[in-house]
Amino acid sequence: KKDGEGHDEL
Amino acid sequence: MNIFRLAGDLFHLISIFILIHKMTTSKSCSGISFKSQALYLLVYVTRYLDLFWTFALYNSTMKIIFIGSSAYVLHLMTGPFKPTHDPNIDTFKVRYLIGGAAILALLFPYKWTPAEVLWTFSIWLESVAILPQLFMVQRTGAAETITTHYIFALGAYRALYIPNWIYRYLTSTFWDPLSIIAGVIQTVLYSDFFYIYYTKVLQGRKFELP
């Protein structure tokens, strides 16, 4: 997953 | 999701619980920096805008808890417990923290979209948001033991994200350099506090600065 395509960490 | 991130988020929840428990049982917010608490609300509001367009049960629930609890803490500090808040010892110049985070967010976001710039702002702001609180402890030279447990848990939350990032890099070649750099800085800022906490509080003594 490339960065910036939605962040899955809090 | 991995055990490190789960433990980190758990420590984050614990820190919030300790803070609210301390304030409601002692009916006081003495020793707590309003500025740091206000910065945390700003961190959560700017980072969790994606609540509006993404949904994941765990993440969305936690985001709502973090935003709600930090707003509640600010309510307690400006409402019922306002008399116990002494702004004269909460003097850290947060404008430099906000300004610095804003500049970094405008210079190096992953993408120049409003959501990404705000997310980057939030990541950098969180890395320094504890400074007013640590500065207040420094100035008063001591802190209630419960407050040190709060700060420890808050520091442990992001510290545990570091093994999470290592784990994710090793297992899925995912990595988020902005979060990692800011997270390492954030954890380093706690290092002297961690040292004193470990040598003093965990030995059953009061938290006093040398």
Side-chain angles (χ1 to χ4, degrees), chain B residues 8-208:
Chain B
D9 294 340
L10 187 63
F11 266 102
H12 196 177
L13 285 178
I14 291 170
S15 74
I16 293 168
F17 173 77
I18 293 174
L19 179 64
I20 294 178
H21 181 260
K22 169 244 186 310
M23 290 169 72
T24 49
T25 50
S26 69
K27 299 232 174 304
S28 151
C29 61
S30 64
I32 302 299
S33 162
F34 177 81
K35 291 186 173 181
S36 279
Q37 297 307 316
L39 289 179
Y40 282 120
L41 180 61
L42 186 56
V43 164
Y44 300 138
V45 166
T46 52
R47 186 176 309 181
Y48 298 148
L49 293 174
D50 61 358
L51 269 171
F52 295 113
W53 62 79
T54 62
F55 181 81
L57 183 63
Y58 176 79
N59 275 9
S60 300
T61 308
M62 297 292 267
K63 290 171 185 177
I64 292 166
I65 292 173
F66 293 149
I67 292 174
S69 58
S70 56
Y72 179 61
V73 165
L74 291 181
H75 158 70
L76 290 178
M77 294 188 84
T78 53
F81 306 144
K82 185 171 175 53
T84 64
H85 172 240
D86 177 5
N88 300 316
I89 59 171
D90 195 5
T91 57
F92 199 94
K93 298 251 184 300
V94 293
R95 68 179 69 104
Y96 298 123
L97 304 180
I98 293 174
I103 290 167
L104 286 169
L106 289 170
L107 288 180
F108 311 112
Y110 286 131
K111 279 191 297 192
W112 272 272
T113 63
E116 278 303 308
V117 169
L118 284 171
W119 180 87
T120 309
F121 168 75
S122 162
I123 287 288
W124 286 112
L125 189 61
E126 186 193 6
S127 68
V128 293
I130 195 64
L131 284 176
Q133 178 66 62
L134 293 178
F135 189 72
M136 175 189 261
V137 170
Q138 182 88 24
R139 279 189 62 145
T140 50
E144 290 172 50
T145 300
I146 190 73
T147 305
T148 63
H149 293 321
Y150 158 67
I151 300 173
F152 171 76
L154 195 55
Y157 130 67
R158 207 69 183 172
L160 282 162
Y161 263 64
I162 295 171
N164 152 66
W165 289 316
I166 295 169
Y167 176 86
R168 295 191 76 177
Y169 181 72
L170 295 177
T171 54
S172 64
T173 68
F174 158 95
W175 82 313
D176 175 354
L178 280 176
S179 297
I180 295 172
I181 298 166
V184 169
I185 291 170
Q186 181 168 337
T187 303
V188 165
L189 289 178
Y190 280 84
S191 52
D192 65 328
F193 170 83
F194 281 148
Y195 175 73
I196 299 169
Y197 181 80
Y198 177 73
T199 55
K200 292 264 174 82
V201 178
L202 293 192
Q203 316 301 336
R205 298 205 302 273
K206 247 186 83 57
F207 184 96
E208 260 122 24

